[in-house]
Amino acid sequence: GAAETRDICADLVGKYRDRYLADRVFELAWTHSQVLLQQINATEADVQLYGRLAASVLYSNSVLRADSSLIIKNLRGQSSLWGYSISGDLPIVLLWIEDQANIMLVRQLIQAHAYWRLKGLAVDLVIFNEDHAGYRQVLHDQIMGLIAAGIKVKRMDRSGAIFVRNADQISEEDRVIFQAVARAIIRDSRGTLAEQMDRRGRVQPKIPVLEPTRVFRSLPPIVEALPRKDLIFFNGTGGFTPDGREYVISTGSEQVTPLPWVNVLANPNFGAIVSENGPSYTWSENAHEFRLTPWDNDPVMDSSGEAFYIRDEERGHFWSPMPGPARGATPYVTRHGFGYTVFEHTERGISSEAWLFVAVDVPVKFTVLKVRNRCGRPRRLSVSGYAEWVLGDLQPKTVMHVTTEIDPQSGAILANNSYNAEFGRRVAFFNVDHATRTVSADRTEFIGRNGTLASPAAMIRSRLSGRVGATLDPCAAMHVVFDLDDGEDREIVFTLGAGQDAADATALARRFRDSAAARKALDAVWLYWKHTLGAIQVETPDPSVNLLANGWLLYQTIACRLWGRSGYYQSGGAFGFRDQLQDTMAL
């Protein structure tokens, strides 16, 4: 439990340690549940069934949703529902009824709607009357009678209410959007409610498990992070390089920063946040309204919806080239620079550098992973990149509306959320520069049931399934396998971006899919910030003032406050006259 003060908490603990009082609490809870059942005239078996259906309302269930091919056809947004007095802000449960003999299904859904409302779950129940027997008015009157017999009749045709519509008065386009946005679709032609709840989903593809060919060695002992000796203004974890152009952070399993120390990478229309643990989130056009990946705002866990992995294909051991989410056994070095961040790491003879930066003039973020074999023998490795799609403000609101496909020319995974009123035409993409890749747009497949990004299910499988489409928990994952001789290195380029439409997104994916394009974009980033930050130099008696005034203060003002309008703790995305006016005082 929780309370306002420690004393109140102590009193509650003492009170409910009494076994007889605890029994009384259970008795009161049982009595309350019986009163609730009588209020809606339901049995315990009924409400258990309604609870199962509520799970599909809260968490998308492909078994009860429309077919993927139909959802992809929908090109209309939330405003298309307004003509039916439905806001689209609440979850929608859609019931199709065409036979008077199945009126019991209507009664159950009305009862379920009342039960959910009493439990605090607001849902729009939409009933399509599709009776073709010539007695539509009779069926309609029966439906309205059941609604009138329920509780809170005054909530008809209001938010969180019941909406009854004649199916023959609904256009084909509107039928598509209703089915596309419904969390659950119940049809009387499919049997009873219990039978529809018990339907099995499509059989998931079986992906072969990775079979190690070498014996897995035990992990080496933990090595503490050793900071560089030449850093200035060093605080025990990080410090500036002598020229002041980078901030270097050394971390290990036992040495971490007290809070996320981040770099804002941005251009005027696109950007990303990167902490010392790895990428945090990415946005396009507006850091609040059109996030490509999730913004978690969790300074304790520093969680993210973006991740990268390196795997030893011979032993099955894997780790991340940056400290999160799958931290390796050896220390990491994070270098925040003007417009870029670099992660350095060496694990079991494999050294890596991960360069993250945003192009200066296009909505594309690069993750360039440089891998070198220093172990004295050939190695077979793989690299995986992963990003969870949002394409809106909050992931729980947008997840069921995101559809994915593969661009046949570039091989990129494309994602679109046509339900987004402002950015419905935008198309995001995720790509890697290797042609021999396997992909997946199914987050459930990649992470696994009850899994985490620290140990995803994909890391014990040999490849990804290639699943894309609708009704998935959307993500973009790509897996590349390659061989490295002793002393050889390899560069893999991942790109994440967004286009104004599908044609623009595919053009960007093709244009920036190789190392040459990435190098050219990085050179442009260096040149821009060198020119911008070097225009004026300030010299004072205080070296710390000189260091901040001659680079970092101006850089943060432009990238974070004017372009990104976002930080780790605040993802506003908006312009404020006072705020931006104050920010420009530093220019």
Side-chain angles (χ1 to χ4, degrees):
E4 294 182 355
T5 66
R6 186 178 187 278
D7 292 338
I8 297 176
C9 281
D11 291 341
L12 290 173
V13 170
K15 177 180 179 180
Y16 288 103
R17 289 177 63 185
D18 187 331
R19 180 169 61 86
Y20 298 103
L21 186 58
D23 291 340
R24 177 61 177 164
V25 170
F26 281 105
E27 291 175 1
L28 290 174
W30 182 85
T31 302
H32 174 75
S33 67
Q34 296 304 305
V35 171
L36 186 147
L37 293 180
Q38 292 179 8
Q39 186 177 2
I40 63 174
N41 194 27
T43 65
E44 289 191 16
D46 290 333
V47 297
Q48 288 179 5
L49 185 62
Y50 305 154
R52 290 175 56 197
L53 182 56
S56 296
V57 173
L58 295 171
Y59 301 99
S60 181
N61 179 2
S62 60
V63 174
L64 294 180
R65 291 197 63 198
D67 188 77
S68 176
S69 59
L70 185 142
I71 294 176
I72 293 175
K73 291 180 182 178
N74 178 48
L75 300 176
R76 308 181 73 178
Q78 184 174 350
S79 59
S80 298
L81 303 175
W82 298 346
Y84 297 91
S85 302
I86 299 173
S87 68
D89 295 331
L90 297 178
I92 293 175
V93 174
L94 178 60
L95 169 62
W96 293 74
I97 179 75
E98 58 180 329
D99 191 342
Q100 297 179 52
N102 298 319
I103 194 67
M104 179 58 69
L105 197 57
V106 178
R107 177 184 176 276
Q108 285 181 302
L109 266 295
I110 293 173
Q111 201 173 63
H113 183 266
Y115 176 70
W116 295 335
R117 188 166 62 246
L118 291 172
K119 290 295 185 179
L121 176 60
V123 175
D124 286 336
L125 174 60
V126 180
I127 302 176
F128 281 178
N129 178 3
E130 204 175 26
D131 181 19
H132 300 296
Y135 299 98
R136 177 171 296 124
Q137 189 62 45
V138 175
L139 179 56
H140 178 81
D141 291 344
Q142 288 180 323
I143 295 172
M144 299 306 293
L146 289 172
I147 296 174
I151 60 176
K152 296 188 178 180
V153 179
K154 64 180 181 180
R155 295 194 62 85
M156 278 286 296
D157 281 7
R158 296 172 59 185
S159 180
I162 302 174
F163 303 82
V164 182
R165 300 291 182 264
N166 290 328
D168 61 354
Q169 298 176 0
I170 301 173
S171 67
E172 184 61 30
E173 294 81 2
D174 288 345
R175 289 187 181 212
V176 170
I177 188 174
F178 269 109
Q179 294 178 81
V181 303
R183 301 290 181 99
I185 300 175
I186 307 298
R187 293 179 179 269
D188 66 338
S189 59
R190 295 176 178 171
T192 66
L193 180 59
E195 290 171 345
Q196 296 186 54
M197 292 296 300
D198 291 335
R199 288 172 55 205
R200 292 186 176 273
R202 290 183 291 270
V203 178
Q204 301 296 328
K206 291 187 177 181
I207 307 170
V209 175
L210 179 69
E211 298 289 347
T213 58
R214 297 176 67 93
V215 177
F216 179 76
R217 295 178 298 168
S218 60
L219 294 176
I222 296 176
V223 180
E224 293 299 326
L226 297 177
R228 286 172 48 170
K229 302 296 184 181
D230 61 339
L231 300 180
I232 58 177
F233 301 107
F234 182 69
N235 58 18
T237 303
F240 293 96
T241 54
D243 61 3
R245 301 190 64 82
E246 289 186 345
Y247 190 82
V248 182
I249 307 167
S250 299
T251 58
S253 58
E254 303 296 331
Q255 178 178 325
V256 297
T257 58
L259 289 172
W261 293 355
V262 307
N263 193 5
V264 180
L265 312 177
N267 64 37
N269 297 301
F270 187 87
I273 303 291
V274 182
S275 79
E276 81 287 350
N277 286 320
S280 294
Y281 89 106
T282 306
W283 71 86
S284 179
E285 299 185 55
N286 188 291
H288 184 276
E289 296 300 314
F290 195 53
R291 298 168 181 146
L292 303 188
T293 58
W295 174 65
D296 288 331
N297 192 23
D298 186 348
V300 177
M301 298 298 295
D302 194 14
S303 54
S304 172
E306 303 178 32
F308 295 89
Y309 305 88
I310 299 174
R311 185 173 71 183
D312 183 342
E313 294 293 295
E314 298 170 313
R315 290 193 171 95
H317 174 59
F318 67 91
W319 65 94
S320 290
M322 52 277 291
R327 182 185 292 272
T330 53
Y332 289 81
V333 174
T334 303
R335 295 159 39 205
H336 288 322
F338 299 134
Y340 67 93
T341 292
V342 183
F343 298 93
E344 300 174 353
H345 182 65
T346 299
E347 184 94 359
R348 294 178 176 264
I350 301 298
S351 64
S352 63
E353 280 189 4
W355 288 71
L356 277 68
F357 55 94
V358 168
V360 295
D361 56 350
V362 290
V364 178
K365 183 179 78 170
F366 295 85
T367 301
V368 180
L369 187 57
K370 303 177 182 180
V371 183
R372 170 169 289 186
N373 180 6
R374 295 180 175 177
C375 72
R377 64 174 180 84
R379 300 287 292 273
R380 185 169 180 79
L381 305 172
S382 69
V383 170
S384 297
Y386 169 87
E388 297 176 9
W389 293 123
V390 176
L391 307 189
D393 53 353
L394 298 175
Q395 191 176 22
K397 289 172 55 178
T398 64
V399 63
M400 67 174 292
H401 305 299
V402 175
T403 61
T404 54
E405 61 180 315
I406 298 176
D407 174 33
Q409 296 183 350
S410 66
I413 294 179
L414 306 179
N416 170 253
N417 175 12
S418 60
Y419 195 64
N420 189 317
E422 296 295 329
F423 303 97
R425 289 179 53 83
R426 305 296 189 270
V427 175
F429 67 88
F430 186 72
N431 201 13
V432 68
D433 64 337
H434 279 236
T436 55
R437 90 280 292 273
T438 59
V439 305
S440 176
D442 187 355
R443 176 175 175 267
T444 303
E445 172 199 326
F446 189 89
I447 297 180
R449 183 178 177 87
N450 300 326
T452 65
L453 286 178
S455 183
M459 289 297 103
I460 63 172
R461 297 174 180 150
S462 60
R463 58 176 176 82
L464 299 175
S465 69
R467 293 190 71 197
V468 295
T471 72
L472 302 175
D473 191 353
C475 77
M478 294 193 170
H479 177 69
V480 174
V481 181
F482 56 93
D483 295 302
L484 278 184
D485 290 331
D486 181 34
E488 185 183 6
D489 55 27
R490 182 69 58 89
E491 186 171 279
I492 299 98
V493 179
F494 289 92
T495 50
L496 173 65
Q500 294 295 306
D501 51 30
D504 188 29
T506 54
L508 289 171
R510 291 194 297 268
R511 177 183 169 190
F512 295 102
R513 64 179 175 182
D514 57 33
S515 296
R519 182 66 194 185
K520 185 177 179 180
L522 181 58
D523 289 342
V525 170
W526 283 339
L527 182 63
Y528 175 84
W529 288 113
K530 180 179 180 181
H531 172 76
T532 302
L533 304 180
I536 298 176
Q537 291 293 301
V538 176
E539 185 174 348
T540 73
D542 190 337
S544 63
V545 173
N546 297 341
L547 186 146
L548 293 178
N550 291 325
W552 290 99
L553 178 60
L554 181 60
Y555 168 70
Q556 177 174 310
T557 300
I558 296 174
C560 177
R561 303 303 305 158
L562 300 182
W563 288 351
R565 302 182 301 284
S566 178
Y568 191 93
Y569 309 102
Q570 181 185 27
S571 176
F575 282 102
F577 177 77
R578 182 199 63 184
D579 293 343
Q580 266 66 48
L581 195 62
Q582 291 174 340
D583 294 332
T584 56
M585 294 177 66
L587 300 180

